[in-house]
Amino acid sequence: MDLGLNNKVAIVTGGTEGIGFSCAKVLVQEGAKVYVCGRSTEKLHSAQAKAAEEGWILSGNTADVTDANSFAQFLEWVMEQAGCRKPVERLWISSMEDAAIREGFQN
């Protein structure tokens, strides 16, 4: 499927395991620059190793999204890593359906 995400920047919170990890993988496969966060350094490193075993790169850092300072530092790190020069807009995708993903990236 081609969702038109090539070179878009995507952030997946809780992306070190489970549904978040799977979402990150799909976004990478669609050509997005994906950055994940999770609270555990150990889980982040484990997820990065799993991604490498599967043949893709998972970029991420630790952050607690319930802590505004922690999440703000993560966002600053993402902007630096991705070379973002534009203002950041919040994206909310309610499901992994093609239509929902397209709608989220159009806004």
Side-chain angles (χ1 to χ4, degrees):
M1 87 182 113
D2 181 5
L3 299 173
L5 304 181
N6 198 40
N7 292 319
K8 299 278 186 174
V9 174
I11 294 172
V12 179
T13 59
T16 59
E17 60 185 346
I19 293 171
F21 181 83
S22 296
C23 290
K25 182 177 180 178
V26 169
L27 291 167
V28 166
Q29 290 170 340
E30 287 295 314
K33 297 176 186 176
V34 180
Y35 299 90
V36 302
C37 70
R39 292 177 292 183
S40 166
T41 301
E42 184 176 308
K43 286 182 182 179
L44 174 62
H45 291 167
S46 177
Q48 288 172 321
K50 181 178 179 182
E53 288 173 11
E54 295 177 0
W56 58 286
I57 297 171
L58 181 65
S59 298
N61 211 330
T62 55
D64 181 349
V65 298
T66 66
D67 178 329
N69 187 48
S70 175
F71 192 58
Q73 289 176 351
F74 172 72
L75 292 176
E76 288 175 10
W77 176 82
V78 169
M79 291 179 68
E80 180 181 309
Q81 295 297 306
C84 291
R85 303 289 182 256
K86 297 179 183 179
V88 175
E89 296 180 26
R90 183 173 180 186
L91 166 64
W92 179 262
I93 298 176
S94 58
S95 77
M96 288 303 293
E97 299 293 321
D98 290 0
I101 295 169
R102 283 190 190 97
E103 180 183 341
F105 276 93
Q106 287 174 353
N107 298 328

